[in-house]
Amino acid sequence: MNTDIFYVISSILLIHGIKLLGKTATARKGNFISAFGMALAVAATLWQHPPQNILLTLTVALTGAYIGLLMAIKVQMTAMPEMVALFNGFGGMASVAVAIIEGIKLNYIPAIYYDTLIYFSLFTICLTLVVGGITFSGSLVAYGKLSRKLPTSSINFRGQEWVDVILFVLLLLSAYMWIFTHSVWSFYMLIALSFVGGCVFVLHIGGGDMPVIISLLNSLSGVAACAAGLILFNKVLIVAGCLVGTSGLILTLIMCKAMNRPVKKVLLGGFASISKNKQKSTRGTYKPISTEDAYYILEAAQTVAIVPGYGLAVAQAQHAVKDLAQKLTDNGADVFYAIHPVAGRMPGHMNILLAEADVDYDQMTELEPSNARFGNTDVAIVVGANDVVNPAAVENPDSPLYGMPILEVFNAKTVFVLKRGQGTGFSGLENELFFKDNVRMIYGDAKATLTQLSAEFKE
Amino acid sequence: MDYGWLMFCILLASWLGVELIAKIPSQLHTPLMSGTNAISGITLIGALVALAHTHEPLTEFLGYLGVFFSIINVFGGYWVTDRMLKMFNNKNNRK
């Protein structure tokens, strides 16, 4: 009796789990099913390959499980993107560990015994090392950027294209040397280069492109697991890894499409080169408004749109925004949330935050239906969104944002922009929205502003 | 297992991945990502297999490291996904 039958069942459970995960009503069940599939696969593996030191394996596993659960329980919903990035990096690291173990084993085999099978292993080990290494270090850098421990803007320097090219060539060279000349040091070189590669790669990426990168790294961690499966000829690893790899890739493409930016541009750190050019924007004046005056306008509004962005997450203002929406609804207004697909720092980031604050998801409106409604909207409140509402994307062909589908909030009768200061968005671009005649700025912390507005309604 | 079969497995699983994700509401993007992220922790199996067949201090250490990291990924990933989905579900029930 071997484990194949259990691996088949567990693969089916994982696939079914992902399928159910795609619908709101069944998503939670889908997650359970996929967890069960995973448990079954692990049990079957333990049975076929019993650990040498059960006590130590159990201790390590339980410690890891405990830490994982602790992190998952403690994390704030606003910190979700960095948490996913961190977990993702850990998965990549595990694949790298597998590849190094198998690589060290092969290093003992004299070259005269090399056959097709060993060459195949050498090749898959290289693949796992590179993809897993990039996933690990890339995810850690992404974690650093998202949690603001590292600078969030894209880091670029002169001649970086050359650094990229040299890194890439060295990577290929050391893989080639290890496979065909069997030099042990190039094996370790390859490991080091993969880690460096991942860091450099994600350091290029600007904050606004994070949703794309997070989902790309997620995809890569699947590819790494699949490659590790190829080393070990483990079917469930191959199948599950592939599923994650392709589904992550599709999500990445959806994100890119939502930004109207080709994947290539995102990966090369597109915005950076542009923001250096001093762009001649239609400078105007900001027109600030007090919360009191804003209240009078809101009080008379029939339809109100709320446009959340990353600033909502930073200010942790999801509950405050929901309170205000409730006040507005009680006041007889029709409230909807206009959500841009790439608002925030990960795909669906805003939906999660609003769901935490108990916002009905019938009120969460996607890009196109929102744009259809702005014409009849009395007030649009922009909470910490910037680039996704920049009219330059439709009006200014010179703008690097041009062509990106945006939420056309400027069609609303009045727009309030809640903003901390007069800074630019993550793209580093001046937002022409702020100079428009129907736009009023409310400066200050988004949460405080929203709370003040709600308080006005009480009186 | 021959290479033809491997290729076949990969192609089939990749096609499935594409088909499963192609139409998905954007509000589920985050749970989907963290759910599939948990699945990528399946490399835990790889670490367990590698660990079971190694007899050197260095490789054993790497094996335990792999188990440790991937199990954080698995448990943390599934739990956090469930936490998010619970928020969605609560609302459904109340309606």
Side-chain angles (χ1 to χ4, degrees), chain A residues 24 28 31 34 49 52 72-73 75 88 91 95 105 108 214 218 221 235 247 347-348 359-362, chain B residues 1 14 17 21 27 30 33 36-37 40 43 51-54 56 73 78-79 82-83 86 91-92 94-95:
Chain A
T24 29
R28 200 167 173 211
N31 196 42
S34 110
H49 307 272
Q52 299 174 35
I73 292 167
V75 67
N88 202 37
S95 298
K105 279 187 200 163
Y108 287 123
I214 295 290
N218 186 33
S221 75
K235 289 167 202 122
S247 62
V359 170
D360 228 329
Y361 46 69
D362 292 342
Chain B
M1 191 153 55
S14 306
I21 304 307
Q27 66 209 20
T30 295
M33 251 186 57
T36 52
N37 177 32
S40 73
T43 188
L51 183 60
H53 302 282
T54 185
E56 265 185 82
N73 187 188
Y78 277 120
W79 194 273
D82 189 57
R83 243 187 87 187
K86 211 155 54 184
K91 223 160 310 140
N92 266 3
R94 217 177 302 141
K95 250 181 233 170

Side-chain angles (χ1 to χ4, degrees), chain A residues 18-327:
Chain A
I18 296 186
K19 187 180 172 228
L20 294 183
L21 209 51
K23 292 192 197 74
T24 29
T26 54
R28 200 167 173 211
K29 198 170 134 208
N31 196 42
F32 276 127
I33 289 178
S34 110
F36 182 67
M38 171 85 72
L40 186 68
V42 172
T45 308
L46 285 174
W47 186 30
Q48 201 187 18
H49 307 272
Q52 299 174 35
N53 185 338
I54 296 177
L55 198 66
L56 186 56
T57 311
L58 207 64
T59 315
V60 170
L62 286 179
T63 317
Y66 177 71
I67 294 176
L69 287 179
L70 208 64
M71 286 163 81
I73 292 167
K74 287 265 166 83
V75 67
Q76 297 257 335
M77 279 299 149
T78 45
M80 206 46 86
E82 52 258 44
M83 174 86 347
V84 172
L86 198 60
F87 284 152
N88 202 37
F90 289 169
M93 184 61 222
S95 298
V96 171
V98 172
I100 299 178
I101 295 172
E102 298 301 312
I104 289 176
K105 279 187 200 163
L106 286 186
N107 281 338
Y108 287 123
I109 300 177
I112 43 164
Y113 295 116
Y114 277 25
D115 55 9
T116 341
L117 184 66
I118 290 188
Y119 277 113
F120 181 76
S121 300
L122 289 169
F123 180 75
T124 48
I125 288 171
C126 285
L127 188 68
T128 314
L129 279 181
V130 174
V131 179
I134 289 177
T135 308
F136 173 65
S137 60
S139 298
L140 286 194
V141 173
Y143 167 77
K145 283 191 166 203
L146 289 166
S147 58
R148 309 188 144 223
K149 293 187 173 89
L150 291 171
T152 51
S153 57
S154 80
I155 295 171
N156 292 274
F157 47 89
R158 273 175 70 174
Q160 66 167 10
E161 298 87 352
W162 290 107
V163 175
D164 293 353
V165 170
I166 291 169
L167 255 176
F168 186 68
V169 170
L170 282 177
L171 210 68
L172 285 184
L173 198 68
S174 44
Y176 177 87
M177 297 241 306
W178 185 57
I179 296 178
F180 293 104
T181 69
H182 326 297
S183 75
V184 176
W185 67 265
S186 57
F187 173 63
Y188 293 101
M189 186 79 179
L190 186 64
I191 300 171
L193 283 171
S194 307
F195 286 143
V196 175
C199 293
V200 172
F201 164 55
V202 179
L203 278 174
H204 286 344
I205 311 293
D209 285 335
M210 272 304 166
V212 181
I213 285 313
I214 295 290
S215 84
L216 185 69
L217 286 169
N218 186 33
S219 165
L220 286 180
S221 75
V223 176
C226 174
L230 288 174
I231 304 174
L232 301 166
F233 285 102
N234 187 304
K235 289 167 202 122
V236 74
L237 263 182
I238 298 174
V239 171
C242 258
L243 279 174
V244 177
T246 45
S247 62
L249 196 64
I250 295 296
L251 202 55
T252 312
L253 295 176
I254 294 176
M255 292 299 113
C256 280
K257 212 173 140 199
M259 303 170 85
N260 191 35
R261 302 190 57 203
V263 186
K264 204 177 84 194
K265 249 186 162 174
V266 174
L267 298 190
L268 296 176
F271 276 140
S273 51
I274 306 147
S275 56
K276 275 177 212 146
N277 307 338
K278 287 274 187 298
Q279 26 133 21
K280 40 175 181 21
S281 62
T282 46
R283 275 218 74 109
T285 45
Y286 292 111
K287 293 169 282 292
I289 187 172
S290 68
T291 47
E292 216 182 329
D293 293 338
Y295 161 71
Y296 291 118
I297 299 175
L298 279 176
E299 214 244 325
Q302 293 296 310
T303 312
V304 179
I306 294 173
V307 186
Y310 184 52
L312 179 85
V314 175
Q316 309 217 349
Q318 66 271 39
H319 295 284
V321 96
K322 153 87 182 174
D323 283 347
L324 179 63
Q326 194 59 51
K327 294 274 155 51

Side-chain angles (χ1 to χ4, degrees), chain B residues 5 27 75:
Chain B
W5 271 105
Q27 66 209 20
F75 274 74

Side-chain angles (χ1 to χ4, degrees), chain A residues 370-389:
Chain A
S370 298
N371 279 339
R373 292 186 70 177
F374 282 131
N376 300 317
T377 300
D378 295 315
V379 183
I381 310 174
V382 178
V383 188
N386 196 337
D387 293 333
V388 296
V389 294

Side-chain angles (χ1 to χ4, degrees), chain B residues 14-25:
Chain B
S14 306
W15 173 77
L16 254 174
V18 175
E19 283 298 305
L20 287 173
I21 304 307
K23 283 179 212 141
I24 209 159

Side-chain angles (χ1 to χ4, degrees), chain A residues 265 270-271 273-282 390-404 427 429-430 432:
Chain A
K265 249 186 162 174
F271 276 140
S273 51
I274 306 147
S275 56
K276 275 177 212 146
N277 307 338
K278 287 274 187 298
Q279 26 133 21
K280 40 175 181 21
S281 62
T282 46
N390 194 333
V394 285
E395 290 172 351
N396 181 0
D398 295 332
S399 167
L401 289 174
Y402 188 72
M404 169 171 154
S427 65
L429 295 169
E430 199 76 65
E432 290 164 27

